[in-house]
Amino acid sequence: MFTALGHLAVRRRRSILVLSLAFVAIAAGLGLGLFDRLAGGGFNDPSSESSTAARLLADTFKTGSPNLVLLVDTDSTRASDAADSTMLVDSPTVEAAGTALVDQLKARPDVAEVVSYWGLGKVAPLRSNTGTTALVVVRTTGQDDATKEVEAITDAVAGSRGPITVTASGQGPVFEAISTTIQDDLAGAEAIAVPLTVILLIIVFGGLIAAGLPLIVGMMSVMGTFLTLWIITQFTDVSIFSINLVTALGLGLAVDYSLFVVSRFREELEAGLDPHAAVVRTVETAGRTIAVSALTVGISLSALLVFPLYF
């Protein structure tokens, strides 16, 4: 099989390059849309007792754990003057604004439950000691991963609203921040890792073309995996943290396997084979090693399928 694959690579080298470029273009076009489809949840076992209890609370009692907390502040420019009754959350003006906020939230289809300081009879735990801040706690219809719902709700209600200012916290904003941080961290890491990798590869291989091969293979691997994950997200949830694994394994294995191929190819050339014969011999030997290694990596990672948490 590997001998036939080597001969195919030699005979159809131009076609393989063209198809590879086309694949990368398609994979990049679709795969880069993956970030918007990744989920921030996946930490709870759907069959666990806690998950069963959460479903029971939601189905029977129409309640559950909140995943969005809205902080309602009075006029921040006068926040130091707590003696001013117009600033306090118990004042008629602030209470009216807070009640209007609650009514707006209850009218939304993506909101399952709203609990507020004013709605519970002005209970002390939902009010700051100074009396200038109160809480509105929201439970969305999506519980495990409500990032998009929370983002939509936050965009609709956050900001200045007359005598109050509304800011958001809780599960959704945290996961949104995590998603943004991951993308920024990946960009920063690649900006550092790629140039350093290029320098090291040039030193090891002694040439720019040979050194560029692992990076090209790594890019194809990462883009191809992005496309694969994008397809998987059409059917099930995929964790946002999968991106970290994809980039690390994609670039790391690409460098590793390219070292096998380039080193063996050079050895065959030094042994007197012409380039075409050297390619076939390289695929027969290093290619088999890479195939076994890749299969081992795949089998090892397949153990993750045993766990019911997509995180």
Side-chain angles (χ1 to χ4, degrees):
M1 181 183 71
F2 290 97
T3 301
L5 185 61
H7 285 296
L8 178 64
V10 171
R11 292 197 310 270
R12 303 295 184 184
R13 54 189 179 277
R14 291 185 178 84
S15 299
I16 291 174
L17 286 174
V18 171
L19 291 175
S20 298
L21 290 174
F23 170 76
V24 171
I26 295 172
L30 295 175
L32 290 179
L34 170 68
F35 289 91
D36 294 332
R37 302 188 60 85
L38 295 174
F43 303 103
N44 299 315
D45 180 357
S47 61
S48 66
E49 293 181 355
S50 60
S51 296
T52 302
R55 287 193 297 271
L56 179 64
L57 287 173
D59 297 339
T60 305
F61 301 102
K62 308 303 179 185
T63 188
S65 300
N67 50 5
L68 174 62
V69 177
L70 297 176
L71 190 68
V72 179
D73 285 311
T74 55
D75 189 352
S76 59
T77 62
R78 303 165 59 197
S80 61
D81 185 11
D84 187 345
S85 61
T86 62
M87 284 191 50
L88 301 178
V89 293
D90 290 328
S91 69
T93 304
V94 174
E95 182 175 354
T99 302
L101 170 64
V102 172
D103 291 339
Q104 180 181 348
L105 290 169
K106 289 182 177 179
R108 294 183 60 92
D110 50 4
V111 172
E113 186 179 12
V114 181
V115 175
S116 71
Y117 166 71
W118 303 277
L120 291 180
K122 301 181 180 180
V123 292
L126 296 183
R127 183 191 64 191
S128 65
N129 291 334
T130 60
T132 59
T133 305
L135 295 180
V136 176
V137 182
V138 180
R139 181 172 63 89
T140 63
T141 52
Q143 282 292 290
D144 190 37
D145 178 33
T147 306
K148 293 182 174 60
E149 293 176 341
V150 169
E151 183 179 355
I153 296 170
T154 302
D155 291 340
V157 302
S160 179
R161 300 170 61 91
I164 62 175
T165 301
V166 180
T167 53
S169 183
Q171 182 192 86
V174 169
F175 281 137
E176 183 180 357
I178 290 174
S179 176
T180 302
T181 301
I182 286 176
Q183 296 185 51
D184 293 341
D185 286 350
L186 285 176
E190 290 170 357
I192 297 173
V194 172
L196 290 177
T197 303
V198 171
I199 294 173
L200 290 174
L201 290 174
I202 292 175
I203 294 174
V204 172
F205 287 117
L208 187 60
I209 295 178
L213 178 62
L215 296 179
I216 294 173
V217 175
M219 180 187 67
M220 293 180 63
S221 173
V222 171
M223 289 297 104
T225 308
F226 280 1
L227 175 61
T228 303
L229 291 179
W230 180 83
I231 294 173
I232 294 175
T233 59
Q234 312 298 316
F235 306 99
T236 188
D237 293 317
V238 177
S239 173
I240 183 132
F241 298 100
S242 63
I243 299 299
N244 300 73
L245 198 62
V246 167
T247 53
L249 283 178
L251 185 59
L253 292 178
V255 172
D256 193 21
Y257 294 162
S258 296
L259 283 170
F260 288 158
V261 171
V262 174
S263 298
R264 188 54 190 256
F265 178 71
R266 286 180 168 178
E267 290 174 0
E268 298 300 339
L269 289 179
E270 292 173 359
L273 295 181
D274 63 82
H276 290 183
V279 168
V280 174
R281 185 58 183 161
T282 298
V283 174
E284 289 175 340
T285 53
R288 182 179 290 106
T289 302
I290 291 170
V292 173
S293 175
L295 182 62
T296 303
V297 172
I299 293 174
S300 300
L301 290 176
S302 68
L304 296 174
L305 296 175
V306 175
F307 299 95
L309 305 91
Y310 64 82
F311 163 73

